């Protein structure tokens, strides 16, 4: 039975989020990355799907959430957040507080966009170096047929 | 490549947690329940896997987390927490505060035990009536070959 | 210029929310109610519009928010929350904590539904007796051409 | 009927706050800015009026509140807060914590002053670049016949 309509559907679907989460971990294994945590947020900023690989250190889930939530909160990928944290340190400190302490301005927070540009949600990955975390997020979003926005212009 | 050993492995494995999360949602669809959110915590009390079905109302993720975290925090299934909330209301209010506001003493928070009785983690489900949420959790834990502890003696 | 598409549109529109907020205060004056605070949340649970009349006591904004957020969080109007608070006190205490302390289970939290039943947001009003707060919310939602759900069946 | 006197009237009136909120959004559309959120606080630091345009990214309401609350909290406009955040970083981090995480030291938080210099409240706007957010706030405060204080001497 399909879920009844409630209006509580914000951007990304469960099917898309599950695809992204499992594809991200598969990409991590393919690239032989350190254990990863992947968080997928919907367009309301809520957890839609989350997976933590065995062996992740304790703060990986929080870091992955902060990467995704920071990107979602400002509507920019993590690379743009990193630039702003350099240029406007006071603002980014305040922004982290506004976000309840969950806003991490580094690569690995990636917006998920539809073909028309609409932001459907965000992915945050933590476990290996930020660039590699980000690569796994981008590969996973594309595997789901969606567009990844890292905060760099293409 | 298998994940490198780090010591950061607390009870339930990712494979088990994923199986539980997907089986719980499948059971929800089979029983035609309202949209469900399922949270799986490891033995360190951290998120291991999480899935939110399309159509869940806004607080379902928080409630599912609170059911699992309350159970994990005291080492009892949600039915025992519910009994204690009746008998010791002041304690349960304080416990909720201790848990950062995330402890929900109702059915649907279910411990995951190994064959030898060790607690591997906990599952929290929210979306339908508490009894039905719990039934989906029990079915999913058993589908993963593990033992469900609802807080009632068998 | 119309706002650019971003995907960040969750249910109720600004135009609808403004209409509800101003109509609620107009109804309050028509009925000669005590000074009211009206909060309109969107389907992501965020503030969409808010107005506080001159003379409101200090906690009126927090109470109005809690009425709306409680309704939005569970997907029920405040009358159903009030019934559950009677029947399941432990759950509602925990739910208030989950909601960051902002969930008030009394009349005056009213869901805003579209013609197809989808939940577009919620209105919370505080200032006079709960029944009168609720009457102002219902009148305002209907003045905006939308459907009010108080938590009682019609 | 006029509202009864209660003593709970702190500076700005509802009529002034509504004028500012709607004029700020009108100015944003006239200047073709990105979608804006406008928050108006009274002299007790509480929400008096708030409007969020369709399309605002998730943290805009929090940022707008933090701009206004930071200004109100210290009694300086956002430009002075930004200077202090440069010169006294440790203090501004602590101030953000004192403010419950809601103090954003950048332009766009603007004090509302009466003709005699008394602070009646503060306006915070977020959505576009800080300078443009601030320009919309200043225009709106002046449209309401009041004096805008950005933190720069005139």
């Amino acid at each position: 039975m399909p879920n009844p309509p409630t209006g509580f559907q914000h951007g990304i679907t469960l099917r898309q989020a599950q695809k992204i989460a499992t594809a991200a971990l598969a990409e991590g294994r393919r690239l032989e990355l350190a254990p990863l945590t992947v968080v997928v947020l919907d367009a309301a900023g809520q957890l839609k799907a989350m997976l933590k690989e065995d062996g992740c250190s304790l703060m990986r889930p929080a870091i992955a959430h902060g990467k995704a939530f920071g990107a979602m909160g400002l509507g920019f990928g993590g690379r743009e957040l990193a630039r702003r944290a350099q240029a406007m340190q006071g603002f980014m400190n305040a922004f982290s507080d506004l976000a309840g302490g969950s806003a991490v301005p580094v690569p690995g927070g990636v917006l998920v966009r539809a073909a028309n540009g609409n932001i459907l949600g965000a992915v945050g990955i933590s476990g290996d170096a930020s660039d590699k975390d980000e690569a796994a997020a981008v590969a996973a979003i594309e595997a789901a047929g969606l567009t990844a926005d890292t905060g760099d212009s293409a």
Side-chain angles (χ1 to χ4, degrees), chain A residues 14 17 24 38 42 44 56 65 71-72 74 81 96 103-104 131 151 154:
Chain A
L14 174 64
V38 54
D42 66 18
C56 280
H65 185 273
M72 204 63 206
L74 286 180
L81 268 73
S96 173
V104 181
D131 287 5

Side-chain angles (χ1 to χ4, degrees), chain A residues 3 12-26 38-41 47-51 112 123 140-141 143-144 146:
Chain A
N3 291 327
I12 200 163
T13 65
L14 174 64
R15 182 182 299 267
Q16 291 169 326
Q18 279 184 292
K19 174 67 181 171
I20 290 172
T22 54
L25 297 189
V38 54
V39 163
V40 183
L41 301 182
L47 277 175
K48 188 75 182 178
M50 183 275 187
L51 294 171
V112 181
V123 176
I141 292 166
L146 297 165

